[in-house]
Amino acid sequence: MVKVRETFCKVGVLMALVLGMSMVTPAAAQSPALQALIEDALKTHPLVEQTALEYWAGSEKYFAANGINDWNLFLSASLKKGLGSQGFNSFSDDGQYHEFSTGGSRVFSATGTRLKVAAGYTALIDQPAFGGFESPNTYKPNISFTITQPLLKNAWGLMDRYPIQSAGIGQRLALIKYHEDLESLVEVLVGAYLDWQLAEVKTDIFEKQLQAATQQKDVTTRQFNRGAAEKSDLILAQQNEVSKRMQYLQEKVNLNHQILQIETIINRELSSLDVDPSSFLTQVNLPTRNLTSSLAHLVGSGNIIETFRLSAELQALNVSAKKNQREADLSVFLTNESGASNTTWDTSVNDVGANQSLTTGVALNIPLENNVAVSDYNTAVLNYDSLIISQNSTLSTLKGTITSQYYHLDSLELLLGQASELVKLAKQTAKIESTKHRQGRTASLYVVLDTQDKALSAQLQLEEIRFRKLHLENDLAVINDDYIPYIKTLLKEDYVR
């Protein structure tokens, strides 16, 4: 556990060094459109119910482990008819021997104490005569109370509490997994919507380009028919229209594919949604935070670090249990028994307590060579050390990955600015060349179409960068657990048994 604290200290120093490394501002508000999108799209998704069922199944193990504190009841009864005497060779067909016992036992895991309470009776009726003498009926009721307290192994219930504590940690891990599973589903959903939106944007761009190409072909055809344009210009215009139509049709196929992908994920048609899925890109988009906040969340309260802590806690608990197994089994016990003996049942019951016995003692069990327990303990210690090293290594890798992703996010932000400027300049160039060609100052249509293609490429590049940035923000939102607030209404943490 010391190693874990050292790791957190090192991370704190690292965080201080990266305070000014990110350009992305932390999200102060949630997107109502995104919230509505997620809630509506996943309202009836079968995986939502499936993940809840898996969490509830894991939670049941905790309730089962607590069963060690339950009362255990026992009951036994027997009747024997036909008694023989020993040594006198006599027998009674009507003789009866009754035996009955009932009671309960319980373990108090908080202290390791064992308690047993029992009540019972034995009865001998119509016993066989021996030596000419008849034996009277005998009724013996009794009540007993026994308490046992371990002093070394399982002292203060350490071994009794281990299954409860480990199951409790397992329940918390199951809850984290539940959150992570739903977050992963949201990540896939948002990623699919981003792909769909990009396909929508590109389809719209190609459709407008096709319309412009068709208009250009019609103009060039009229000019050619009047002898004002060369045959090569007409062919170029026709070729440009065919090229733009192919691009449009290809992107239309991709758009239909993306829509099908989304409908497969949400298990329903897009038209059935109560919200406009495209609206969330026009409002507050995806939840974001800066690098400093992300690293602080990673090592402070994130699901990843919480999983690490719980796993280390579980392994440390196992080490403690294995160490306790090496102890000698020493316990003290006390038994108090109250009984009676009489010739009638009523009288014997009224006399319970007349015969009192008290037994106390110490039980000690020391294995001479407990190689199995020693080996189990050493293995548990080695596994704990290995786990801590593995977690530190994974944490270091994650910090590097997150830092790299935020650097990438910053570079995409810069590229967006440059790409926007390039689109602006490319459109201006295309407009100038188109005007010059229309005024007869540029003889070749090739120059006009070439500048238009460059403007189209610049516009497509801008949209690709914009959506790459959104995809990266989607990935970071999952790492930072920023989708948890959006799926709160989907969580079903309470299960009515």
Side-chain angles (χ1 to χ4, degrees):
M1 304 304 288
V2 174
K3 294 181 181 179
V4 175
R5 289 194 291 268
E6 290 176 352
T7 300
F8 294 159
C9 292
K10 293 177 182 178
V11 172
V13 174
L14 174 64
M15 287 166 52
L17 296 176
V18 297
L19 284 173
M21 294 174 64
S22 177
M23 297 173 57
V24 183
T25 56
Q30 298 177 8
S31 166
L34 180 59
Q35 177 79 35
L37 169 68
I38 292 172
E39 290 181 5
D40 190 277
L42 300 183
K43 193 177 298 179
T44 59
H45 199 288
L47 284 179
V48 175
E49 190 71 19
Q50 178 184 335
T51 52
L53 291 171
E54 290 175 353
Y55 166 64
W56 292 333
S59 297
E60 288 300 322
K61 296 179 181 179
Y62 175 71
F63 296 107
N66 276 276
I68 190 175
N69 293 309
D70 294 341
W71 278 97
N72 294 304
L73 302 179
F74 62 89
L75 173 67
S76 66
S78 64
L79 169 64
K80 181 180 180 180
K81 186 173 182 181
L83 302 179
S85 64
Q86 296 180 355
F88 292 91
N89 196 25
S90 60
F91 189 83
S92 173
D93 292 330
D94 296 325
Q96 296 180 31
Y97 176 74
H98 300 174
E99 185 175 23
F100 173 83
S101 63
T102 186
S105 63
R106 184 183 172 184
V107 173
F108 294 88
S109 60
T111 60
T113 307
R114 267 70 174 155
L115 176 65
K116 181 178 180 180
V117 179
Y121 88 95
T122 59
L124 284 169
I125 304 171
D126 294 334
Q127 300 178 63
F130 57 91
F133 297 95
E134 292 185 357
S135 298
N137 294 338
T138 305
Y139 297 89
K140 293 183 177 181
N142 66 86
I143 299 174
S144 65
F145 172 88
T146 302
I147 184 170
T148 304
Q149 178 64 48
L151 299 178
L152 292 179
K153 181 184 290 188
N154 197 33
W156 296 106
L158 190 148
M159 296 303 298
D160 292 335
R161 293 196 307 276
Y162 171 71
I164 300 176
Q165 292 172 317
S166 60
I169 295 173
Q171 185 184 38
R172 290 154 66 189
L173 287 171
L175 180 58
I176 292 176
K177 182 181 181 299
Y178 180 26
H179 290 178
E180 290 291 298
D181 286 346
L182 282 184
E183 260 205 316
S184 296
L185 188 57
V186 171
E187 178 187 20
V188 172
L189 173 65
V190 173
Y193 273 108
L194 290 176
D195 291 338
W196 170 49
Q197 289 292 289
L198 177 58
E200 286 277 13
V201 170
K202 291 173 69 175
T203 301
D204 183 63
I205 291 174
F206 284 127
E207 185 176 16
K208 291 177 180 178
Q209 289 291 319
L210 175 59
Q211 293 171 355
T214 300
Q215 184 180 11
Q216 181 67 61
K217 185 205 69 173
D218 293 341
V219 171
T220 305
T221 300
R222 289 195 297 270
Q223 290 175 341
F224 175 76
N225 292 334
R226 294 196 309 267
E230 298 292 334
K231 179 70 172 179
S232 59
D233 287 345
L234 177 60
I235 294 175
L236 278 174
Q238 292 172 338
Q239 180 181 344
N240 182 55
E241 183 192 30
V242 173
S243 175
K244 295 301 188 291
R245 180 174 289 108
M246 289 178 62
Q247 290 176 318
Y248 169 72
L249 292 176
Q250 288 174 349
E251 195 56 43
K252 190 70 175 177
V253 170
N254 180 50
L255 173 60
N256 293 332
H257 172 72
Q258 296 302 334
I259 292 176
L260 180 61
Q261 289 284 92
I262 299 168
E263 292 179 340
T264 301
I265 292 172
I266 64 176
N267 199 32
R268 59 194 296 196
E269 294 182 358
L270 282 174
S271 58
S272 67
L273 295 181
D274 297 331
V275 294
D276 178 11
S278 62
S279 64
F280 84 91
L281 286 179
T282 62
Q283 300 185 26
V284 180
N285 295 329
L286 302 180
T288 57
R289 62 174 77 205
N290 59 31
L291 176 59
T292 302
S293 174
S294 179
L295 290 176
H297 178 76
L298 172 69
V299 301
S301 59
N303 281 341
I304 294 175
I305 196 64
E306 186 64 18
T307 300
F308 284 0
R309 287 172 179 154
L310 291 174
S311 298
E313 184 180 338
L314 183 61
Q315 189 58 39
L317 186 63
N318 185 45
V319 170
S320 178
K322 296 300 182 183
K323 182 180 180 181
N324 188 260
Q325 284 281 22
R326 301 171 59 184
E327 300 289 344
D329 192 358
L330 175 65
S331 60
V332 296
F333 62 89
L334 174 69
T335 300
N336 181 36
E337 186 172 358
S338 299
S341 179
N342 215 308
T343 57
T344 64
W345 165 250
D346 294 340
T347 305
S348 65
V349 170
N350 292 331
D351 289 346
V352 169
N355 300 335
Q356 288 275 357
S357 64
L358 184 66
T359 305
T360 185
V362 177
L364 176 63
N365 183 8
I366 304 176
L368 295 179
E369 292 186 25
N370 200 349
N371 293 328
V372 174
V374 172
S375 177
D376 287 347
Y377 169 72
N378 292 337
T379 300
V381 172
L382 293 172
N383 287 337
Y384 175 81
D385 292 340
S386 175
L387 176 65
I388 297 302
I389 293 174
S390 175
Q391 288 182 351
N392 291 340
S393 176
T394 302
L395 198 61
S396 177
T397 301
L398 282 172
K399 288 185 293 184
T401 300
I402 291 174
T403 302
S404 176
Q405 286 181 312
Y406 273 99
Y407 279 140
H408 188 197
L409 198 63
D410 293 345
S411 67
L412 289 176
E413 190 73 29
L414 294 174
L415 284 175
L416 274 176
Q418 296 298 310
S420 297
E421 184 66 21
L422 181 61
V423 169
K424 179 181 177 181
L425 295 173
K427 286 183 176 180
Q428 289 178 354
T429 302
K431 184 177 181 180
I432 291 172
E433 291 300 329
S434 178
T435 301
K436 288 169 62 178
H437 180 74
R438 195 167 54 251
Q439 294 174 350
R441 291 185 292 154
T442 300
S444 176
L445 181 63
Y446 176 82
V447 177
V448 177
L449 298 181
D450 183 60
T451 56
Q452 289 177 354
D453 285 341
K454 288 180 179 178
L456 172 61
S457 295
Q459 190 174 4
L460 292 174
Q461 184 182 36
L462 173 64
E463 296 301 333
E464 291 283 356
I465 294 173
R466 185 164 77 96
F467 278 88
R468 276 165 53 196
K469 180 174 178 289
L470 288 170
H471 272 292
L472 184 55
E473 288 176 348
N474 183 35
D475 295 339
L476 288 170
V478 176
I479 293 176
N480 296 326
D481 303 314
D482 287 330
Y483 282 138
I484 294 295
Y486 294 88
I487 61 176
K488 282 293 185 183
T489 58
L490 301 176
L491 298 176
K492 301 176 181 179
E493 299 179 9
D494 295 327
Y495 172 59
V496 180
R497 279 176 291 280

